[in-house]
Short mmCIF file of all heavy atoms in Angstrom, two decimals:
data_model
loop_
_atom_site.label_atom_id
_atom_site.label_comp_id
_atom_site.label_asym_id
_atom_site.label_seq_id
_atom_site.Cartn_x
_atom_site.Cartn_y
_atom_site.Cartn_z
N ARG S 108 -92.76 -7.11 30.25
CA ARG S 108 -92.20 -7.61 31.51
C ARG S 108 -91.70 -9.04 31.35
O ARG S 108 -90.65 -9.41 31.90
CB ARG S 108 -93.27 -7.52 32.60
CG ARG S 108 -93.54 -6.11 33.08
CD ARG S 108 -94.28 -6.10 34.41
NE ARG S 108 -95.64 -6.57 34.27
CZ ARG S 108 -96.69 -5.78 34.05
NH1 ARG S 108 -96.51 -4.47 33.93
NH2 ARG S 108 -97.90 -6.28 33.95
N LEU S 109 -92.43 -9.86 30.62
CA LEU S 109 -91.98 -11.24 30.39
C LEU S 109 -90.68 -11.27 29.58
O LEU S 109 -89.76 -12.04 29.89
CB LEU S 109 -93.07 -12.03 29.67
CG LEU S 109 -94.33 -12.36 30.48
CD1 LEU S 109 -95.37 -13.02 29.59
CD2 LEU S 109 -94.00 -13.26 31.66
N ILE S 110 -90.62 -10.44 28.54
CA ILE S 110 -89.42 -10.40 27.71
C ILE S 110 -88.24 -9.87 28.50
O ILE S 110 -87.10 -10.34 28.33
CB ILE S 110 -89.69 -9.55 26.45
CG1 ILE S 110 -90.68 -10.28 25.54
CG2 ILE S 110 -88.40 -9.26 25.70
CD1 ILE S 110 -91.10 -9.48 24.33
N LYS S 111 -88.48 -8.89 29.38
CA LYS S 111 -87.38 -8.37 30.19
C LYS S 111 -86.85 -9.44 31.14
O LYS S 111 -85.63 -9.56 31.32
CB LYS S 111 -87.87 -7.14 30.97
CG LYS S 111 -86.77 -6.40 31.68
CD LYS S 111 -87.23 -5.01 32.11
CE LYS S 111 -88.36 -5.07 33.10
NZ LYS S 111 -88.71 -3.74 33.65
N ALA S 112 -87.75 -10.22 31.74
CA ALA S 112 -87.29 -11.33 32.59
C ALA S 112 -86.54 -12.37 31.77
O ALA S 112 -85.50 -12.91 32.22
CB ALA S 112 -88.49 -11.96 33.29
N PHE S 113 -87.01 -12.63 30.57
CA PHE S 113 -86.33 -13.56 29.67
C PHE S 113 -84.94 -13.05 29.33
O PHE S 113 -83.97 -13.83 29.27
CB PHE S 113 -87.18 -13.73 28.41
CG PHE S 113 -86.66 -14.73 27.43
CD1 PHE S 113 -85.96 -15.86 27.84
CD2 PHE S 113 -86.88 -14.57 26.07
CE1 PHE S 113 -85.48 -16.78 26.93
CE2 PHE S 113 -86.41 -15.47 25.15
CZ PHE S 113 -85.71 -16.59 25.59
N LEU S 114 -84.79 -11.74 29.14
CA LEU S 114 -83.49 -11.15 28.84
C LEU S 114 -82.52 -11.35 29.99
O LEU S 114 -81.34 -11.68 29.78
CB LEU S 114 -83.66 -9.66 28.54
CG LEU S 114 -82.37 -8.85 28.35
CD1 LEU S 114 -81.55 -9.38 27.18
CD2 LEU S 114 -82.69 -7.38 28.14
N VAL S 115 -82.97 -11.15 31.23
CA VAL S 115 -82.10 -11.34 32.40
C VAL S 115 -81.60 -12.79 32.45
O VAL S 115 -80.41 -13.06 32.68
CB VAL S 115 -82.85 -10.96 33.68
CG1 VAL S 115 -82.02 -11.33 34.91
CG2 VAL S 115 -83.18 -9.47 33.69
N VAL S 116 -82.51 -13.73 32.22
CA VAL S 116 -82.12 -15.15 32.24
C VAL S 116 -81.10 -15.45 31.15
O VAL S 116 -80.10 -16.15 31.38
CB VAL S 116 -83.38 -16.04 32.09
CG1 VAL S 116 -82.98 -17.50 31.92
CG2 VAL S 116 -84.29 -15.88 33.29
N VAL S 117 -81.33 -14.93 29.96
CA VAL S 117 -80.42 -15.19 28.84
C VAL S 117 -79.03 -14.62 29.10
O VAL S 117 -78.01 -15.27 28.82
CB VAL S 117 -81.03 -14.62 27.54
CG1 VAL S 117 -79.98 -14.56 26.43
CG2 VAL S 117 -82.20 -15.46 27.08
N VAL S 118 -78.97 -13.41 29.65
CA VAL S 118 -77.66 -12.81 29.95
C VAL S 118 -76.92 -13.62 31.00
O VAL S 118 -75.69 -13.85 30.89
CB VAL S 118 -77.85 -11.34 30.40
CG1 VAL S 118 -76.54 -10.77 30.92
CG2 VAL S 118 -78.36 -10.49 29.24
N LEU S 119 -77.61 -14.07 32.04
CA LEU S 119 -76.97 -14.91 33.06
C LEU S 119 -76.47 -16.22 32.46
O LEU S 119 -75.35 -16.67 32.77
CB LEU S 119 -77.95 -15.18 34.20
CG LEU S 119 -78.34 -13.97 35.07
CD1 LEU S 119 -79.38 -14.36 36.10
CD2 LEU S 119 -77.10 -13.39 35.76
N LEU S 120 -77.29 -16.83 31.62
CA LEU S 120 -76.85 -18.07 30.98
C LEU S 120 -75.64 -17.84 30.08
O LEU S 120 -74.72 -18.68 30.04
CB LEU S 120 -78.00 -18.66 30.15
CG LEU S 120 -79.17 -19.27 30.93
CD1 LEU S 120 -80.27 -19.71 29.97
CD2 LEU S 120 -78.70 -20.45 31.76
N ILE S 637 -86.10 -3.55 21.57
CA ILE S 637 -84.70 -3.45 22.01
C ILE S 637 -84.35 -4.60 22.93
O ILE S 637 -83.25 -5.19 22.84
CB ILE S 637 -84.47 -2.09 22.70
CG1 ILE S 637 -84.58 -0.96 21.66
CG2 ILE S 637 -83.11 -2.04 23.37
CD1 ILE S 637 -84.47 0.42 22.25
N ALA S 638 -85.26 -4.97 23.83
CA ALA S 638 -85.00 -6.11 24.72
C ALA S 638 -84.84 -7.39 23.92
O ALA S 638 -83.92 -8.19 24.20
CB ALA S 638 -86.14 -6.24 25.73
N LEU S 639 -85.68 -7.61 22.94
CA LEU S 639 -85.54 -8.81 22.10
C LEU S 639 -84.26 -8.77 21.28
O LEU S 639 -83.67 -9.82 21.00
CB LEU S 639 -86.75 -8.92 21.17
CG LEU S 639 -87.99 -9.55 21.80
CD1 LEU S 639 -89.21 -9.36 20.92
CD2 LEU S 639 -87.77 -11.03 22.07
N ALA S 640 -83.81 -7.58 20.90
CA ALA S 640 -82.54 -7.47 20.17
C ALA S 640 -81.39 -7.99 21.02
O ALA S 640 -80.54 -8.75 20.54
CB ALA S 640 -82.30 -6.02 19.78
N PHE S 641 -81.35 -7.61 22.30
CA PHE S 641 -80.28 -8.09 23.19
C PHE S 641 -80.38 -9.60 23.40
O PHE S 641 -79.36 -10.30 23.50
CB PHE S 641 -80.34 -7.36 24.53
CG PHE S 641 -79.83 -5.94 24.46
CD1 PHE S 641 -80.66 -4.88 24.78
CD2 PHE S 641 -78.53 -5.67 24.07
CE1 PHE S 641 -80.19 -3.58 24.71
CE2 PHE S 641 -78.05 -4.38 24.00
CZ PHE S 641 -78.89 -3.32 24.32
N ILE S 642 -81.60 -10.12 23.47
CA ILE S 642 -81.76 -11.57 23.62
C ILE S 642 -81.18 -12.31 22.42
O ILE S 642 -80.42 -13.28 22.56
CB ILE S 642 -83.25 -11.91 23.81
CG1 ILE S 642 -83.75 -11.42 25.18
CG2 ILE S 642 -83.48 -13.41 23.68
CD1 ILE S 642 -85.25 -11.57 25.36
N LEU S 643 -81.53 -11.86 21.22
CA LEU S 643 -81.06 -12.53 20.01
C LEU S 643 -79.55 -12.37 19.82
O LEU S 643 -78.87 -13.31 19.38
CB LEU S 643 -81.80 -11.97 18.80
CG LEU S 643 -83.30 -12.28 18.76
CD1 LEU S 643 -83.98 -11.49 17.66
CD2 LEU S 643 -83.54 -13.76 18.55
N ALA S 645 -77.34 -11.97 22.26
CA ALA S 645 -76.71 -12.85 23.25
C ALA S 645 -76.75 -14.30 22.77
O ALA S 645 -75.77 -15.05 22.93
CB ALA S 645 -77.42 -12.71 24.60
#
Side-chain angles (χ1 to χ4, degrees):
R108 287 196 290 268
L109 290 174
I110 291 175
K111 189 165 63 173
F113 184 32
L114 174 61
V115 173
V116 172
V117 166
V118 171
L119 292 176
L120 288 176
I637 292 176
L639 278 168
F641 285 120
I642 290 173
L643 294 170

